[in-house]
Amino acid sequence: MRLTKIKSTLPSDPLQAQYDSWLALVDHLNIKAFVNLTLADSVRHGVQHLLFISGLGGMRPNTLVLGFYDDCLPKDKLIESSLSATESSDPLNPSQDFEQPALYRFAYLRGSSDRRDYGEFGDGKVLGPQEYVSIISDAMKMLKNVVLARYFNDFDRAQVLLPSSLAKRVVYVDVWPVNLLRPDSCSYVDTCSLFLLQLACILNMVKAWRKATLRLFLCVEEGRSVKGSQAKLGQLLKDLRIKAEVHPVPWDQVVALHWQRQGGLCKNQGSQSLDSATDEVEARAIEEESEDDYVNSFPSNATRVSDDYLAAVNKLILDQASPPPAVRFLYLPRPPADTRRYATYLHQLDLLTQDLGPTLLIHGVTPVITTDL
């Protein structure tokens, strides 16, 4: 995608040179892919164009993968000499040397010394947080699954997946298939959770990742049957033919910081201090309104989730990383309906994934698994 408009003064298609570069890259990586380019006046409009036109017939893509919106500088793996062994057609065969063909003509990355512009926001970025979350929301409305990739600029494929590394230690892939921002919805059988499990399973089926071990974390609270929940999840994995280790994780202290638990306590204490009939009517109306807001709209949750709760969830995830995983799969909540809360939504995702290492935030919108066969 290129941010510009077709003008009558242009002698030819300005995308043709980049199109040839993308075709050469697809051939070099030895993958099967459709190449589609577009001109647009904004990143959001360009993504919309590509989602509409990409693919062919039944081979239309159903998943949008984006880098996370943060200040981490991207790395150009195509010009690093270290890719001689890790980005060849066989990722485990170091004998294939990588040389960047002169045909590649891609735009310079943000933070590159060769890039002269500083972007619309002065930091090299061509879109702001509002437009970034709008792209996520647009994709979900178009029934596209969304994946946000964070900290993969720190992912060392050679260190993780080369045979010499695999022989020394076990590679783990951690999966948290539950909406950590909504403790009341600890379900492992919704569409998003099943899609997350499927992607983790597909990664584990790739040749380079077959020796990796999936670790599935089951969040449990006091008073609930841990063995029952673990057995139910184990049966689900058996039905789906997914091999994974199930690890129960007590999180009562974390859930206690969520507004749902604290708000319920405040309601009980406040109702005892109401004396007049008018106050009772007003309190009942406020309670009914808050319940409707809680059940039907994400924005209520987006505005009430505290930074302390998000920091506690982040610490909970980090505390389970022994040894640390190569990559984490987390549940990506749907953006709020109120566009004014997009910045808050992005801030919450930032706190949730802070310093977690390579992480995929995943949201699925269409069923991808069946046990009816």
Side-chain angles (χ1 to χ4, degrees), residues 307-362:
D307 289 354
D308 291 338
Y309 171 77
L310 294 169
V313 174
N314 177 267
K315 184 177 183 300
L316 178 71
I317 297 174
L318 287 173
D319 289 343
Q320 312 307 316
S322 181
V327 63
R328 287 182 174 90
F329 287 69
L330 300 183
Y331 190 116
L332 174 66
R334 181 179 289 271
D338 189 348
T339 58
R340 295 173 299 178
R341 296 189 171 99
Y342 279 2
T344 301
Y345 170 80
L346 190 57
H347 172 69
Q348 291 173 353
L349 296 182
D350 176 63
L351 292 180
L352 177 66
T353 58
Q354 190 73 38
D355 299 324
L356 290 185
T359 302
L360 294 175
L361 288 159
I362 300 171

Side-chain angles (χ1 to χ4, degrees), residues 169-212:
R169 62 185 182 89
V170 179
V171 175
Y172 289 100
V173 176
D174 286 1
V175 183
W176 296 77
V178 63
N179 188 351
L180 296 171
L181 300 188
R182 298 295 294 264
D184 63 307
S185 61
C186 287
S187 172
Y188 293 87
V189 293
D190 66 358
T191 299
C192 186
S193 297
L194 293 177
F195 179 68
L196 193 152
L197 284 173
Q198 185 201 40
L199 289 188
C201 179
I202 292 175
L203 177 65
N204 198 206
M205 295 170 62
V206 176
K207 181 179 180 181
W209 291 84
R210 285 178 185 172
K211 294 185 178 181

Side-chain angles (χ1 to χ4, degrees), residues 54-76:
S54 295
L56 179 65
M59 293 182 288
R60 299 180 63 84
N62 66 346
T63 303
L64 172 66
V65 182
L66 298 172
F68 194 81
Y69 193 91
D70 56 17
D71 294 327
C72 295
L73 294 178
K75 293 183 179 179
D76 193 342

